[in-house]
Amino acid sequence: MVTREAPGKINLHLRVKGLRADGYHALESVFLALDWGDTLRIDVSKGPGACELFRNCLLPLGELPFPPEQDLAYRAAVLFRAKTGFDRALRIELDKRIPLGAGLGGGSSDAAAVLLALDQLAGTGLSRAALGALAEALGSDVPFFLSPGAALVYGRGEEVIPLEPPGNIRVVLVNPGFPQDTAGAFRLLDAERGRGWPAPEELEPETLVKALAGPPALWPYGNDFLPLFLERGPGEAAEAYGAIILRLKALGAEFTGLSGSGSTCFGIFTNGGAADRAVKVLMEEWNFVRITFPLARSGNAVLQ
Ligand code: C5P
């Protein structure tokens, strides 16, 4: 049996550039993997057989709304088997802690963890490019999780440039309790940009990289979805994101943001005491609040 952690992530920065011919948007993003997430255990039988996925729902935000066969972890196993011919019976157990539709990359991280674990268990030794192609076929955020740490991310998500994760910061996550549909958020952005909603200036890679080594209070990062939701989004999202961000700032967060296309907001603290106090206050107001750290680039990532 192999056990693998599937870390969550936040986007410290997320600029949505143009709509591409394939229907995806070109991105400019800074991803940060977190020292918190889901756990997978994978058992391989000696003989051939089916793949089964059992999920333990440890989520504070309700049940899993779709069957195991639609889970990205299961689809990753099916794709790996189809591409490599690996046909042994598989049992995958998934402890699900990362809320769904939360912008924290839970499903994507599970899928990457399955690909890495199966490559190891099957002894296939797939190249970086081969694993990357499988990851990309499963979703835009999956390639990042093949070697989670901090990264600059471009393309539709497949161009991943590793960075040194920032030390000495606490990340406080606050989810308002409703999911955000990613495709819907991109559609809203396209529609509003069609009506003149401005696209912010892109930042140079050097600027993005240098900033990460400096104090969070000076980060030039931003998320294009946040001002959009605050001004043009559905009332529920505008209200919740506005209230959480304001509260995080008042509680001493040196940087605040929205992860992915929502629905999780986060605050970055360099003062551990302030972060702990913020968590206590926020837990009175929101039912999903977590404090965590950046994940040090994982030693068991086979791709460097
Ligand atoms: O790749 P993934 O399945 O995670 O993407 C979900 C949806 O998000 C896509 O169908 C697309 O509408 C949108 N998306 C996008 N541009 C990206 C990533 C996602 O438009 N770079």
Side-chain angles (χ1 to χ4, degrees), residues 19 23-27 108 136 138-141 155-157 182-184 186:
L19 179 61
Y24 287 90
H25 294 75
L27 304 177
S108 303
E136 195 182 335
L138 290 161
S140 305
D141 283 351
R156 90 172 236 241
T182 307
F186 277 100

Side-chain angles (χ1 to χ4, degrees), residues 7-12 30-37 144-145 147-151 163-173 212-214 216 219 221 266-272 275 290-299:
K9 62 86 176 159
I10 52 172
N11 299 87
L12 295 177
V30 178
F31 277 56
L32 182 68
L34 304 173
D35 191 18
W36 164 82
F144 165 75
F145 287 108
S147 180
L163 300 177
E164 187 61 36
N168 272 329
I169 61 166
R170 277 30 169 215
V171 180
V172 174
L173 305 172
L212 198 60
W219 287 351
Y221 305 147
F266 63 86
I268 304 290
F269 294 76
T270 54
N271 180 327
R290 290 285 177 285
I291 182 164
T292 182
F293 302 88
L295 180 74
R297 192 164 287 284
S298 76

Side-chain angles (χ1 to χ4, degrees), residues 111-128:
V114 166
L115 292 179
L116 292 168
L118 290 184
D119 187 42
Q120 187 184 336
L121 286 163
T124 29
L126 294 182
S127 67
R128 169 76 184 83

